[in-house]
Amino acid sequence: MVRAFIGDIGHLLVVVAFITSLVATYGYYQASRSNSKDDSWLIYSRRIFYFHLLSVIGVVVVLFIIIYNHYFEYHYAYSHSSLNLPTHYMISCFWEGQEGSFLLWTFWNAILGVIIINTNKSWEAPFATVFALVQAFLTSMILGIVLPVLNIKIGSDPFILLRDAVQAPIFEINPDFVPVD
């Protein structure tokens, strides 16, 4: 039960990262449009972007916990790791799949964004508007939701369970079956 809960936390953090990147984009856009001395949009957007960075770090931590602890009920861990791998190869399992690669891009992009936001105050609002929008795009690639009205899938969820990703008779008999790698 705890193992399934950690994936729910990871997916929630992905959703939070996506929403905070959109909110930061809007806030920085408003800050770049205003010519007044009022920095409320700038301060608000900066805090939201920091919160975005924390949620991205949380997603990274959760996915690494899943890989490192060999939670093979998750499709990502089952597809990209093994019990026989040494630790340095398990670290590289993190970005081996598409979802992990997008997450790695999102992580380093968020770190770079915070560095630039803190070092170049004169360009912060226009730069961070575009930067937060790029973060929204990158985060959407690991969102893994389906819009039923348009029948469009947005991204690929790294926290999908194996029973939801693979059609196998064993999952019809025992949905909680976890294969040993």
Side-chain angles (χ1 to χ4, degrees):
M1 195 60 164
V2 172
R3 290 177 159 196
F5 184 66
I6 196 164
D8 292 339
I9 291 171
H11 188 72
L12 176 67
L13 288 170
V14 171
V15 171
V16 168
F18 179 69
I19 291 171
T20 54
S21 63
L22 290 176
V23 171
T25 300
Y26 179 75
Y28 275 121
Y29 174 72
Q30 290 297 333
S32 66
R33 286 185 53 209
S34 68
N35 294 329
S36 65
K37 297 288 183 187
D38 182 23
D39 287 342
S40 60
W41 278 110
L42 198 61
I43 293 167
Y44 173 75
S45 302
R46 192 177 301 139
R47 288 180 183 162
I48 292 295
F49 197 84
Y50 290 145
F51 192 64
H52 168 75
L53 173 65
L54 289 176
S55 60
V56 168
I57 290 171
V59 174
V60 168
V61 168
V62 168
L63 186 59
F64 188 73
I65 287 170
I66 288 171
I67 291 170
Y68 189 76
N69 291 319
H70 307 292
Y71 292 163
F72 292 127
E73 60 266 28
Y74 290 96
H75 185 255
Y76 196 84
Y78 182 75
S79 299
H80 303 289
S81 69
S82 170
L83 291 172
N84 300 325
L85 291 176
T87 303
H88 59 281
Y89 287 131
M90 278 195 290
I91 292 169
S92 68
C93 287
F94 179 83
W95 62 80
E96 181 185 17
Q98 175 185 349
E99 301 90 346
S101 296
F102 276 116
L103 185 55
L104 188 66
W105 274 94
T106 305
F107 172 76
W108 286 116
N109 219 21
I111 296 289
L112 182 62
V114 167
I115 290 169
I116 293 175
I117 285 169
N118 287 322
T119 57
N120 196 347
K121 299 294 183 190
S122 62
W123 287 5
E124 180 180 356
F127 163 79
T129 302
V130 174
F131 213 79
L133 187 60
V134 169
Q135 283 296 104
F137 173 74
L138 287 171
T139 309
S140 74
M141 292 295 110
I142 59 171
L143 201 52
I145 62 170
V146 176
L147 301 174
V149 176
L150 302 172
N151 200 18
I152 296 174
K153 183 177 180 187
I154 300 175
S156 183
D157 186 7
F159 303 108
I160 191 166
L161 293 171
L162 189 60
R163 68 174 178 237
D164 297 329
V166 176
Q167 297 296 324
I170 190 67
F171 294 122
E172 294 172 10
I173 298 168
N174 184 4
D176 294 326
F177 174 76
V178 177
V180 178
D181 190 34

